[in-house]
Amino acid sequence: MFSPDQENHPSKAPVKYGELIVLGYNGSLPNGDRGRRKSRFALFKRPKANGVKPSTVHIACTPQAAKAISNKDQHSISYTLSRAQTVVVEYTHDSSTDMFQIGRSTESPIDFVVTDTVPGSQSNSDTQSVQSTISRFACRIICERNPPFTARIYAAGFDSSKNIFLGEKAAKWKTSDGQMDGLTTNGVLVMHPRNGFTEDSKPGIWREISVCGNVFSLRETRSAQQRGKMVEIETNQLQDGSLIDLCGATLLWRTAEGLSHTPTVKHLEALRQEINAARPQCPVGFNTLAFPSMKRKDVVDEKQPWVYLNCGHVHGYHNWGNKEERDGKDRECPMCRSVGPYVPLWLGCEAGFYVDAGPPTHAFSPCGHVCSEKTTAYWSQIPLPHGTHTFHAACPFCAHQLAGEQGYIRLIFQGPLD
């Protein structure tokens, strides 16, 4: 597919390994994507390999000796066993791989800066007051530079001194072959869906990934000292649709191959225009409804469709059935008299979250984000980590916890009467 000497021919398109998309954002960060801080990050083959692999292991180091090794101009991981003993594993250059690092830090070793996702936040100011649980150097992804461009994930990232330090309190241990391994404070969790990221996808089992890329069952709580059981039949290899949770933000990994089968933003725009061309009407006001353009995805438009979440009947905004004795949220549907929340509908604009290219016929409840039936069905069954030990399904476009029996509803539009 690509010649081995591709980097000698800059005119060719660079190889894309895949993309990381942060759950909870509908195509961009609330205040816009800036530099390394954005809602979607593409991993391309680097002009020059920057991967590393373990080499020399220094056992029974005093803290002073460990510091001397760590100060060398190469990557290393330090495992502090006690005040008197540290094991340092030196890492050497690996010309066959590229390394990408993800974390909260804005220091130069981090390629993709990730901050805590606040469900439904409309601006970055909404997220500032929360104390972050995401590690500054959370994880690293190592991609093979040659086909099939396998990507593997590891907990922890190297800091500006090219070091990873696992202090006395971090969970760490010696492996059966005499190597060291450990877990980060809040851990890096990964879930690989069964049947890939397709209409037939089913949720897999959440696992924890260690600093050396081994796979473990989850700890009792997120930062417990005791590690889970090693799962030897599973690997840290990412596949299309793998979810990576950094305790505060969850990322979706899409391979370049997987993305080639995903609807494009152009396709979603065509679907929007198709719905609007059918001139759906409000059954009460008889006014024509229209989804606003994708650029105006946060401002309620006067023609915006609204939905009764209990039944799925789509209307324009009106005050019918707004009884004062109710708390203002629940409304009575004029079509079927069912009582429930009444919310504006928003198109899901992040194409990477779609499992198929079907028409936008269903909406997540209670947020009102609209996408294909298969996409709502898939995300409604995915338990996403929340806090330190709970899981719940959430809308991928805004991270709101799903409500109702299914977490989504089928939309019932009324066509024009003429």
Side-chain angles (χ1 to χ4, degrees):
M1 188 162 77
F2 297 102
S3 61
D5 60 346
Q6 170 149 12
E7 51 258 44
N8 302 330
H9 303 281
S11 58
K12 289 188 181 176
V15 175
K16 184 195 274 192
Y17 298 128
E19 291 194 26
L20 289 165
I21 309 170
V22 189
L23 263 56
Y25 300 105
N26 198 10
S28 64
L29 294 181
N31 290 352
D33 293 340
R34 290 190 182 90
R36 292 174 294 154
R37 190 162 182 257
K38 45 195 165 187
S39 68
R40 190 171 180 155
F41 174 69
L43 283 68
F44 287 102
K45 185 173 183 178
R46 296 188 184 275
K48 195 174 168 208
N50 73 332
V52 293
K53 58 188 176 186
S55 60
T56 319
V57 179
H58 303 266
I59 298 173
C61 293
T62 62
Q64 291 78 7
K67 199 169 183 196
I69 298 162
S70 303
N71 282 344
K72 280 191 186 178
D73 190 30
Q74 68 184 89
H75 294 81
S76 68
I77 302 182
S78 304
Y79 301 86
T80 306
L81 303 180
S82 67
R83 287 186 183 172
Q85 191 186 7
T86 300
V87 175
V88 181
V89 180
E90 285 189 56
Y91 276 64
T92 185
H93 177 66
D94 182 359
S95 60
S96 68
T97 62
D98 285 337
M99 179 169 70
F100 301 88
Q101 300 209 131
I102 299 125
R104 180 171 49 88
S105 172
T106 53
E107 289 180 34
S108 59
I110 293 295
D111 297 288
F112 185 28
V113 178
V114 177
T115 52
D116 297 71
T117 303
V118 176
S121 62
Q122 295 297 310
S123 70
N124 291 345
S125 60
D126 294 346
T127 65
Q128 296 309 310
S129 58
V130 180
Q131 188 171 6
S132 183
T133 46
I134 299 173
S135 169
R136 292 170 62 242
F137 301 92
C139 68
R140 58 199 194 280
I141 291 175
I142 303 275
C143 300
E144 300 278 346
R145 288 173 63 83
N146 293 316
F149 308 114
T150 306
R152 292 185 173 84
I153 184 164
Y154 301 80
F158 294 98
D159 64 16
S160 297
S161 310
K162 300 185 179 176
N163 297 321
I164 292 171
F165 290 101
L166 290 180
E168 273 187 81
K169 289 181 181 173
K172 66 192 102 50
W173 59 91
K174 192 173 276 189
T175 61
S176 53
D177 57 357
Q179 300 294 317
M180 291 298 298
D181 201 356
L183 304 174
T184 53
T185 306
N186 287 333
V188 172
L189 309 187
V190 170
M191 191 271 278
H192 307 298
R194 291 178 288 132
N195 308 326
F197 194 69
T198 64
E199 312 174 13
D200 307 315
S201 295
K202 291 281 179 282
I205 298 168
W206 282 97
R207 303 293 193 199
E208 178 159 12
I209 304 295
S210 71
V211 171
C212 294
N214 291 308
V215 182
F216 293 85
S217 62
L218 301 188
R219 293 179 258 183
E220 279 195 18
T221 58
R222 198 73 194 234
S223 54
Q225 286 284 298
Q226 187 60 42
R227 70 179 185 269
K229 288 198 173 89
M230 189 163 177
V231 186
E232 298 197 19
I233 55 168
E234 294 181 26
T235 73
N236 62 336
Q237 187 174 321
L238 295 174
Q239 61 186 60
D240 193 34
S242 291
L243 288 167
I244 302 161
D245 188 77
L246 305 178
C247 196
T250 307
L251 316 178
L252 172 68
W253 168 256
R254 297 300 315 271
T255 60
E257 166 70 11
L259 284 168
S260 69
H261 303 297
T262 298
T264 60
V265 173
K266 264 190 185 165
H267 177 82
L268 298 183
E269 174 60 20
L271 289 174
R272 180 187 80 86
Q273 290 182 10
E274 205 174 306
I275 288 187
N276 290 350
R279 292 171 53 224
Q281 281 198 339
C282 173
V284 172
F286 301 116
N287 48 316
T288 302
L289 308 176
F291 280 101
S293 79
M294 298 214 178
K295 290 187 178 71
R296 301 191 60 230
K297 54 179 180 267
D298 297 324
V299 185
V300 179
D301 191 86
E302 59 179 331
K303 288 186 172 181
Q304 186 117 5
W306 285 61
V307 70
Y308 289 90
L309 288 176
N310 273 5
C311 56
H313 284 116
V314 178
H315 290 64
Y317 185 75
H318 57 72
N319 279 315
W320 195 94
N322 194 7
K323 304 269 189 344
E324 282 182 14
E325 62 267 22
R326 300 202 182 105
D327 62 5
K329 282 188 181 171
D330 282 355
R331 297 273 292 268
E332 186 180 30
C333 172
M335 302 292 285
C336 66
R337 297 296 174 118
S338 68
V339 174
Y342 177 57
V343 299
L345 291 173
W346 306 98
L347 278 178
C349 305
E350 178 47 78
F353 295 149
Y354 283 71
V355 296
D356 70 345
T361 54
H362 287 64
F364 287 108
S365 174
C367 58
H369 279 106
V370 180
C371 55
S372 69
E373 178 180 10
K374 294 269 173 69
T375 301
T376 52
Y378 176 70
W379 287 103
S380 68
Q381 60 182 339
I382 298 291
L384 295 170
H386 179 70
T388 53
H389 54 265
T390 57
F391 289 80
H392 63 222
C395 169
F397 302 105
C398 68
H400 263 303
Q401 183 175 349
L402 299 185
E405 208 171 304
Q406 289 183 302
Y408 64 93
I409 48 148
R410 184 173 71 87
L411 300 175
I412 305 166
F413 286 95
Q414 175 160 313
L417 298 174
D418 49 12

